[in-house]
Amino acid sequence: MAHDERVTLPSFPTLTSLPAVDRPDLVAPPVAAALATWPGAADIAVVDIDPDLADTAAMSEAYDIPMTAGGNCVVVSGARAGDERVAACVVRADTRADVNTLVRKMLDVRKASFLPMERAVAETAMEYGGITPIGLPDGWRILVHDALLDEPVVVIGSGVRRSKLLVPGRLLADLPGAEVVPGLGR
């Protein structure tokens, strides 16, 4: 595909996509760095959106995207014996991450909770509402809801609120450090 060649995805005709690897200006710096080295990046597109519509429900309504095609990424942490354990959970947008039971058990902590917004933004170098599993800090676990793998295209954050990434669902399992978790979203 030629640089900046525009493509309209048949499943989302309201969005005009560009190859994400060709548009590092549309993603957060750690996302651009990860895309530059990840073999799966060639199949990922980026779309420009109105930053006021970055929240999943608003974006789904405005751009006519089913909630089942959206992937939300939340950052969760817990501690055991003074050792903090952090994970990014990517769940289908029509569900919520099972933090209190499944994630807590997977992290092997007494209590798991969402990382405070300021800390999540600082540690990921991404904008709140745009945090994505691509380009997260080394050592963070990435827990992926198994239901996302069946989606032909999943719309996820790009690290910034003004764009989204379009990722073939199956590729989420191939992210560095990804763990596919049945029932992660409830």
Side-chain angles (χ1 to χ4, degrees):
M1 185 175 303
H3 180 72
D4 280 355
E5 181 179 329
R6 294 184 175 271
V7 178
T8 300
L9 296 177
S11 54
F12 305 126
T14 59
L15 298 173
T16 301
S17 63
L18 302 166
V21 294
D22 290 346
R23 295 303 307 266
D25 59 307
L26 289 178
V27 300
V31 176
L35 289 172
T37 61
W38 183 43
D43 294 326
I44 297 177
V46 64
V47 294
D48 233 334
I49 64 164
D50 179 339
D52 292 333
L53 299 173
D55 295 328
T56 305
M59 186 202 63
S60 292
E61 184 177 337
Y63 295 103
D64 196 27
I65 297 171
M67 292 289 281
T68 55
N72 288 335
C73 183
V74 296
V75 182
V76 177
S77 71
R80 174 165 301 271
D83 177 37
E84 183 179 48
R85 299 161 188 195
V86 178
C89 302
V90 187
V91 296
R92 205 170 66 192
D94 64 340
T95 68
R96 295 182 185 268
D98 183 4
V99 173
N100 294 323
T101 305
L102 186 57
V103 175
R104 178 185 58 78
K105 287 179 182 176
M106 290 189 72
L107 292 178
D108 191 26
V109 295
R110 285 187 45 213
K111 182 182 178 200
S113 56
F114 295 103
L115 211 59
M117 178 183 64
E118 298 81 15
R119 186 168 165 214
V121 166
E123 291 190 23
T124 61
M126 298 180 199
E127 295 175 5
Y128 184 73
I131 294 176
T132 185
I134 299 172
L136 290 172
D138 290 338
W140 283 21
R141 291 174 73 181
I142 300 173
L143 309 179
V144 178
H145 185 188
D146 63 328
L148 289 171
L149 304 184
D150 295 331
E151 293 297 325
V153 178
V154 177
V155 181
I156 61 173
S158 65
V160 295
R161 291 182 63 86
R162 71 176 201 274
S163 66
K164 294 288 183 182
L165 296 175
L166 306 180
V167 180
R170 63 179 166 66
L171 281 185
L172 293 172
D174 296 335
L175 285 169
E179 301 171 49
V180 176
V181 181
L184 179 62
R186 298 170 46 110

